[in-house]
Amino acid sequence: TPFSLNIHFMEENEELVKQYFNKISENKVNVSKVSSSHLKIDADIKEDNQYLLITLPYETDWHIKLDGKRVKQVKVFDSLMAFPVSKGKHKIEMRYIPNGIALGVLISIGSLLMLLYLLYSTTLTEGITNGFFFRNSIRLRSFLQVRQRKDG
């Protein structure tokens, strides 16, 4: 046949779902700070060897500290993240720090220092009116004026 259809029916055990919900509801989690790159969470976990599921997309650039110690997140449900927590009260801090930010900051600072050096050195050696930037801006204006005359 040119067309086939597979239908699957699933059923959940309502009593089992209620038991599971009641069990996980015993754990208390309070988010005390939320921003685009920073979360602070207070958690009271009732059983040992648990995972705290965070409903944010899994991303390795999240840095998670559990009671001041770094923990690694794991990918859950193919898209979310979780991390291991033990029984007891915990302070959790999550920060999003993009991988290339340190290199980007170094390149920006280096570029700014080079620009300042170039401005400073040409001003000292050639004076303001004969400096590199002033001379080249006059050349650019002259070029544009000649270009306009040719086009117009």
Side-chain angles (χ1 to χ4, degrees), residues 21-84:
F21 181 76
N22 289 336
K23 185 173 182 155
I24 64 170
S25 294
E26 293 173 1
N27 297 318
K28 304 293 182 214
V29 177
N30 179 42
V31 180
S32 59
K33 179 177 180 173
V34 177
S35 75
S36 60
S37 62
H38 189 203
L39 292 172
K40 280 188 176 181
I41 302 168
D42 296 311
D44 187 5
I45 308 301
K46 299 298 181 191
E47 289 187 28
D48 217 3
N49 297 323
Q50 300 292 309
Y51 277 82
L52 185 61
L53 173 68
I54 305 295
T55 55
L56 289 171
Y58 175 80
E59 179 66 51
T60 57
D61 292 340
W62 278 102
H63 298 263
I64 303 168
K65 287 188 177 180
L66 177 69
D67 299 326
K69 296 177 185 169
R70 179 90 189 263
V71 293
K72 284 286 199 187
Q73 66 268 35
V74 294
K75 189 184 259 190
V76 181
F77 303 123
D78 226 14
S79 63
L80 301 176
M81 69 176 146
F83 52 91

Side-chain angles (χ1 to χ4, degrees), residues 13 42 57 64 76 89 100 127 136 143:
N13 182 332
D42 296 311
I64 303 168
V76 181
K89 294 185 179 198
N136 286 321
F143 172 76

Side-chain angles (χ1 to χ4, degrees), residues 3-17:
F3 179 74
S4 67
L5 180 64
N6 293 327
I7 298 176
H8 300 277
F9 291 98
M10 300 183 122
E11 182 181 344
E12 64 184 31
N13 182 332
E14 248 182 86
E15 188 57 37
L16 193 59
V17 171

Side-chain angles (χ1 to χ4, degrees), residues 39 42 72 96 99 103 120-121 127 147:
L39 292 172
D42 296 311
K72 284 286 199 187
Y96 185 79
N99 239 350
L103 180 61
Y120 180 75
S121 66
R147 182 85 183 190

